[in-house]
Amino acid sequence: QNYYIFYAMKLLSCLLVGLNWQQPLKIFGSTTTTTSSSLERNDKILDLLRTARSVGQVGVLAPEQEQLKVEEAANIVIPFTDSKPARTPLIGEHKLVYSAAKGASSGKIGPLVGKVSQLFEDDEIFYNRVSFGPLQIALRAKREIKNDSTIKVSFLETSFSLFGKTLKKQQAGGGGIWKVKFTGKIEDKNGKEKLVRIMETPSLFVLEQDL
């Protein structure tokens, strides 16, 4: 009887040792998979930013084939979005990387192309800004979250300023429904963190914020 008890305890001990070895291996495998997936996501987003920059801020100035490259890169990135992209808290300045819009929202006004950014004042109010050196045109707008991936935008006021001094303000109208297709943080090649957003207004927009 003691003989059977001895071997039963030995067998149980072996099983416990086996489980102790298997559990870390399982965790290690899961961590490796997660890390690999995160790196893949980061690389795909960086590739989108590189492609968008190579084409240029104003998509309509580039050949159609080049514009399609940005669209394809964006479509690859979109499945990697954070959950509920329209509900991502936004604050500070976000710079335009690429726009497929034909109007002034891309920064192109006549023959001139200005630098475009969005400045978020709070959860509702933001400004679409186009700067030509010391001259800035800002469109004040209000956003309302409709669901996890959609916002309603209402334009409120347009202002013109020179060297930071307001020259003129006027009421603005219009707006629309914008689809927030992607939001997510990445690290660039220098290890600096960025927040990247992809929107359809319905034109494709790619924006980034240095964090």
Side-chain angles (χ1 to χ4, degrees):
Q1 188 177 0
N2 291 337
Y3 176 84
Y4 289 113
I5 292 173
F6 171 78
Y7 275 98
M9 291 180 66
K10 189 172 182 179
L11 178 60
L12 179 60
S13 176
C14 289
L15 287 172
L16 289 173
V17 170
L19 286 173
N20 285 336
W21 275 100
Q22 288 170 16
Q23 188 66 21
L25 284 173
K26 184 179 179 182
I27 294 171
F28 179 76
S30 175
T31 304
T32 304
T33 303
T34 303
T35 302
S36 176
S37 178
S38 297
L39 289 173
E40 179 188 8
R41 173 185 178 276
N42 203 79
D43 287 344
K44 289 183 185 301
I45 300 168
L46 287 175
D47 184 59
L48 166 62
L49 295 178
R50 280 192 296 268
T51 303
R53 287 195 178 95
S54 70
V55 173
Q57 174 184 302
V58 185
V60 294
L61 296 179
E64 188 176 347
Q65 278 188 329
E66 296 299 301
Q67 295 179 51
L68 287 174
K69 286 181 182 178
V70 181
E71 289 181 23
E72 289 169 2
N75 286 333
I76 290 171
V77 166
I78 286 169
F80 293 92
T81 185
D82 293 347
S83 62
K84 304 178 181 179
R87 301 185 188 277
T88 299
L90 302 174
I91 193 167
E93 184 182 40
H94 298 239
K95 296 176 182 177
L96 178 66
V97 180
Y98 177 86
S99 168
K102 296 180 180 179
S105 57
S106 67
K108 187 179 186 303
I109 299 177
L112 303 176
V113 176
K115 293 182 178 179
V116 179
S117 65
Q118 287 186 331
L119 180 67
F120 290 86
E121 185 174 280
D122 53 37
D123 290 339
E124 286 189 344
I125 302 299
F126 71 98
Y127 298 83
N128 286 335
R129 307 185 302 180
V130 184
S131 300
F132 302 91
L135 175 65
Q136 185 179 90
I137 304 169
L139 178 60
R140 187 168 177 261
K142 179 181 179 180
R143 67 184 185 123
E144 176 188 351
I145 298 171
K146 303 300 289 183
N147 55 49
D148 292 344
S149 59
T150 309
I151 60 173
K152 179 183 178 181
V153 175
S154 303
F155 300 134
L156 306 174
E157 181 184 75
T158 303
S159 63
F160 303 83
S161 60
L162 185 64
F163 293 106
K165 183 178 180 180
T166 302
L167 303 176
K168 182 182 179 181
K169 287 185 178 181
Q170 62 187 42
Q171 242 185 349
I177 300 296
W178 295 1
K179 293 180 180 179
V180 185
K181 307 294 287 186
F182 174 92
T183 59
K185 292 179 181 179
I186 60 160
E187 282 189 3
D188 65 16
K189 62 180 180 180
N190 297 316
K192 293 182 179 179
E193 200 173 39
K194 291 177 180 286
L195 176 67
V196 177
R197 291 186 292 140
I198 301 172
M199 295 191 301
E200 289 181 356
T201 69
S203 300
L204 176 67
F205 280 78
V206 179
L207 300 103
E208 67 176 2
Q209 180 188 35
D210 293 326
L211 299 174

